[in-house]
Amino acid sequence: MEQVNQLKEKGNAALASENYDEAINYYTSAIELDPNNHVLYSNRSAAYAKAKKYSAALEDADKTVSLNPSWSKGYSRKGSALAYLWRFDESIEAYEKGLEFNPGNEQLLAGLENVKTQAEEAKIRLDALFEKLETSPQTREWLKDPEYVKMVKRVNPNDLSTLDPYLSDMRLLQTISIMLSLDIGTRMDVDPPAPTPKPTPQPEKEEPPKPKYEDLPPHRVSALQEKDLGNEYYKKKDFENALVHYNKAIEHDSTDITFYTNIAAVFFEQKEYEKCIKECEKAIEIGRENRADFKLIAKAFTRIGNAYKKMEQWKLAKTYYEKSMSEHRTPEIKTLLSEVEKRIIEEEKKAYVDPVKAEQEKELGNDYFKKGDYSTAMKHYTEAIKRNPDDPKLYSNRAACYTKLAAFDLGLKDCERCCKLDPKFIKGWIRKGKILQGMQQQAKALNAYQKALELDPSNAEALEGYRACSTQLNSNPEEVRKRAMADPEVQAILRDPAMRCILEQMQQDPHALQDHLKNPDIAAKIQKLLESGLIAIH
């Protein structure tokens, strides 16, 4: 077992250093020695995923789950691997299965939320891809073939293994190039002047420069010159004159989408968000009619999203960011979309808060708790917390349910939340002490009871818990010493020369302790030794 642990630690170190192949080799060697160790398969799954070997990551995640079906991290590994393989429905199912065993697990909940977002984005991406394929006469014909449609849905350019079944299909290369073209970034500012033609090589004898907009119709040249003037005024924040020139550009050429999006940019800077939105809608209409570049259409949708974001109309902002991504995906838009989605969740949570309904749910939870139906009681307490997330008593009540259901880790988490919300709520500290006792963490339980006694020195429940923990800790000094010495944190403290010197001083002069306790770092280390039972202060 010692050799297995050493290999695992080496694998962990290699993984942290991003040496993924080296980490895989260490984990593999450990598995050969201990083939039923689910943690090793889980770690190797993570290494395979980092190395972008997603099929291998999934295989190890499946093995992890088969060896320990109630271990939540196994389902997290499986969900992650499936998401990388674009098997989103299966990924969601894996996360939800893990939550059945460990409700409230933050890693699983975060993974589930993330993969649902990925699934939505994948659908948007696929819709955009099919729209692009429809625009080409050649690929439009291919779409009539069900086998081609199946290939488009299954191929993932980020995972080369998905290409293998289709390498002989001559349509694959062009399809992938179209897929990848949907992910090229773009800027989100006022459109620059039209690009100048590439300069021709200068002969040895200098010639006068050619006109900026050579070979363009006169009305087009006039329009672009007006736009250039508008851009100059925009950069100087002279928005009124910028508008004058952008509108003159439209008088010369009403078919260019960029003239309208630049006017929208001016309205945005002037905080005229409704006008900005209307101008962008006009730009999209003009752009569609004149087959404008999809990137410019995306920019107009983004600008509408930005306007709604400024107006704090989060759901409308989300809608238009999603429309922008269906035209052209960029990291900037993805970030903006994530921001508004978070705001939507926050607003929904705030709208859901109702202290009266929270009290009703708490009473229902109390009734079921008295009947011994702890699972149902827990559901009502959870609903009460959603309705009033700042009430410490609700977390204390749910912790009692978790304790009855032997879910000590979740109960402890609720107690910590309870005590953080109201450090003077004595029942929270007592409940925390009882849970820690149940987890056989007597020193930490003693500390919790001590906090309760600081609030009420005569509290019978806290006194009883404190005495029980003290008795347990001091009943077998040799056992206390062994347990303490096995703690890496205790070992580090005892190896510290300065701490050894302080402990010797404490033996010779107990009054010296007060000076040392003024240093927060030393005080924390002494508290750790007290909790471990290695030292006592009388």
Side-chain angles (χ1 to χ4, degrees):
M1 284 303 295
E2 185 178 349
Q3 190 177 355
V4 169
N5 286 333
Q6 288 175 353
L7 288 166
K8 185 180 80 169
E9 291 304 319
K10 287 180 179 179
N12 293 347
L15 184 61
S17 302
E18 300 183 2
N19 297 321
Y20 305 129
D21 291 335
E22 186 180 330
I24 291 165
N25 290 336
Y26 281 125
Y27 293 138
T28 301
S29 299
I31 287 169
E32 289 171 359
L33 297 172
D34 189 2
N36 294 317
N37 188 326
H38 64 279
V39 175
L40 297 175
Y41 287 99
S42 171
N43 289 9
R44 192 171 68 176
S45 175
Y48 275 132
K50 290 287 187 181
K52 299 185 179 180
K53 298 175 181 179
Y54 304 125
S55 296
L58 177 59
E59 188 178 334
D60 270 1
D62 281 329
K63 183 67 175 177
T64 304
V65 170
S66 69
L67 287 171
N68 190 345
S70 62
W71 194 50
S72 61
K73 186 171 280 189
Y75 294 98
S76 179
R77 296 282 191 230
K78 183 174 180 178
S80 176
L82 287 164
Y84 279 120
L85 292 167
W86 286 16
R87 290 160 62 177
F88 298 114
D89 290 341
E90 294 173 72
S91 175
I92 289 169
E93 186 180 333
Y95 282 117
E96 288 177 341
K97 185 70 176 175
L99 287 166
E100 288 178 17
F101 291 104
N102 193 353
N105 181 282
E106 290 185 2
Q107 187 177 11
L108 289 170
L109 288 169
L112 179 59
E113 183 181 347
N114 188 41
V115 79
K116 284 181 177 177
T117 301
Q118 287 182 51
E120 290 174 8
E121 291 174 356
K123 184 179 182 304
I124 293 169
R125 188 186 304 116
L126 195 60
D127 290 344
L129 173 60
F130 275 110
E131 189 175 333
K132 295 298 290 181
L133 294 173
E134 284 282 359
T135 61
S136 165
Q138 184 178 27
T139 54
R140 190 187 306 124
E141 285 300 311
W142 292 348
L143 287 171
K144 295 176 183 178
D145 180 1
E147 288 302 315
Y148 176 72
V149 173
K150 188 187 295 183
M151 178 183 78
V152 172
K153 289 180 178 179
R154 290 185 176 177
V155 163
N156 176 358
N158 298 324
D159 179 15
L160 297 179
S161 65
T162 63
L163 307 181
D164 292 345
Y166 307 106
L167 290 176
S168 60
D169 194 322
M170 300 300 292
R171 301 170 294 187
L172 177 63
L173 187 60
Q174 185 172 345
T175 304
I176 290 175
S177 71
I178 293 172
M179 284 181 177
L180 295 174
S181 75
L182 295 174
D183 287 320
I184 300 171
T186 189
R187 289 176 59 84
M188 289 302 301
D189 49 11
V190 171
D191 302 304
T196 57
K198 290 185 178 178
T200 54
Q202 292 287 334
E204 289 182 8
K205 190 175 180 180
E206 287 190 7
E207 293 181 359
K210 292 187 177 182
K212 187 175 182 182
Y213 297 119
E214 189 182 22
D215 300 330
L216 290 176
H219 78 283
R220 182 68 178 152
V221 172
S222 298
L224 292 173
Q225 287 172 343
E226 291 293 343
K227 177 184 171 183
D228 291 346
L229 288 169
N231 287 352
E232 289 301 317
Y233 281 112
Y234 182 92
K235 290 173 187 174
K236 297 172 185 175
K237 297 191 180 296
D238 184 348
F239 299 126
E240 293 303 327
N241 277 318
L243 280 176
V244 169
H245 288 287
Y246 290 146
N247 280 307
K248 283 184 180 178
I250 291 172
E251 288 174 12
H252 290 294
D253 181 2
S254 61
T255 66
D256 191 325
I257 183 177
T258 64
F259 303 160
Y260 299 90
T261 53
N262 283 12
I263 289 174
V266 171
F267 287 141
F268 187 88
E269 291 294 335
Q270 293 177 326
K271 298 182 171 53
E272 296 278 0
Y273 301 123
E274 293 287 357
K275 288 184 180 179
C276 172
I277 290 166
K278 286 180 182 176
E279 202 65 32
C280 284
E281 288 171 346
K282 192 190 298 182
I284 292 164
E285 185 180 346
I286 296 292
R288 297 278 195 216
E289 288 174 0
N290 294 280
R291 298 186 179 181
D293 190 325
F294 59 89
K295 295 177 187 176
L296 297 175
I297 301 286
K299 178 182 282 190
F301 277 127
T302 299
R303 199 153 278 158
I304 294 176
N306 288 340
Y308 278 123
K309 184 183 175 190
K310 286 289 186 181
M311 296 161 71
E312 297 189 356
Q313 297 185 35
W314 311 112
K315 290 187 178 178
L316 283 170
K318 177 177 183 285
T319 297
Y320 282 93
Y321 287 145
E322 287 173 340
K323 286 183 178 183
S324 176
M325 289 216 299
S326 71
E327 297 290 334
H328 179 59
R329 292 177 58 80
T330 69
E332 292 85 358
I333 307 307
K334 188 174 180 181
T335 300
L336 287 168
L337 180 59
S338 297
E339 287 175 7
V340 297
E341 284 175 338
K342 286 178 183 175
R343 290 302 298 261
I344 289 168
I345 292 169
E346 287 171 9
E347 294 299 320
E348 286 174 348
K349 283 181 179 178
K350 287 179 186 176
Y352 200 68
V353 170
D354 186 333
V356 174
K357 289 183 179 177
E359 191 64 26
Q360 292 170 354
E361 290 292 336
K362 185 184 84 169
E363 291 304 321
L364 286 170
N366 291 346
D367 291 341
Y368 280 105
F369 189 90
K370 289 170 187 174
K371 294 173 187 175
D373 187 351
Y374 305 119
S375 295
T376 306
M378 182 187 69
K379 289 177 184 176
H380 286 291
Y381 290 140
T382 299
E383 180 63 20
I385 287 170
K386 289 178 183 176
R387 292 288 187 180
N388 191 2
D390 295 327
D391 186 345
K393 294 177 184 176
L394 300 176
Y395 294 94
S396 175
N397 287 10
R398 191 170 67 175
C401 287
Y402 281 135
T403 304
K404 292 291 186 181
L405 294 168
F408 296 120
D409 55 338
L410 296 174
L412 180 60
K413 187 176 176 183
D414 269 359
C415 285
E416 286 170 348
R417 178 65 177 161
C418 168
C419 295
K420 186 176 181 181
L421 285 170
D422 185 0
K424 295 184 178 180
F425 184 51
I426 191 167
K427 188 174 280 188
W429 292 109
I430 292 172
R431 191 148 278 152
K432 182 178 179 180
K434 287 185 176 180
I435 289 174
L436 288 165
Q437 273 186 287
M439 297 171 77
Q440 299 301 310
Q441 296 183 28
Q442 306 296 336
K444 290 182 179 179
L446 188 73
N447 191 43
Y449 287 127
Q450 191 172 341
K451 292 279 188 184
L453 289 170
E454 287 173 9
L455 296 169
D456 181 5
S458 61
N459 185 283
E461 207 171 356
L463 282 167
E464 183 184 346
Y466 187 88
R467 289 188 189 118
C469 290
S470 296
T471 302
Q472 182 72 22
L473 281 169
N474 299 313
S475 60
N476 187 340
E478 183 59 26
E479 191 62 34
V480 170
R481 192 190 71 81
K482 283 183 181 178
R483 186 166 55 246
M485 294 305 294
D487 186 332
E489 191 178 346
V490 171
Q491 292 173 14
I493 292 170
L494 295 177
R495 281 198 298 267
D496 183 346
M499 281 304 298
R500 285 206 301 269
C501 182
I502 289 167
L503 292 173
E504 287 173 8
Q505 271 189 325
M506 284 169 56
Q507 284 182 326
Q508 295 166 8
D509 180 10
H511 296 292
L513 176 64
Q514 297 305 318
D515 292 330
H516 292 305
L517 290 176
K518 292 175 184 176
N519 184 318
D521 291 336
I522 294 173
K525 291 176 181 179
I526 290 173
Q527 181 64 33
K528 177 65 180 178
L529 296 178
L530 286 167
E531 289 176 1
S532 70
L534 278 182
I535 66 172
I537 299 173
H538 303 287

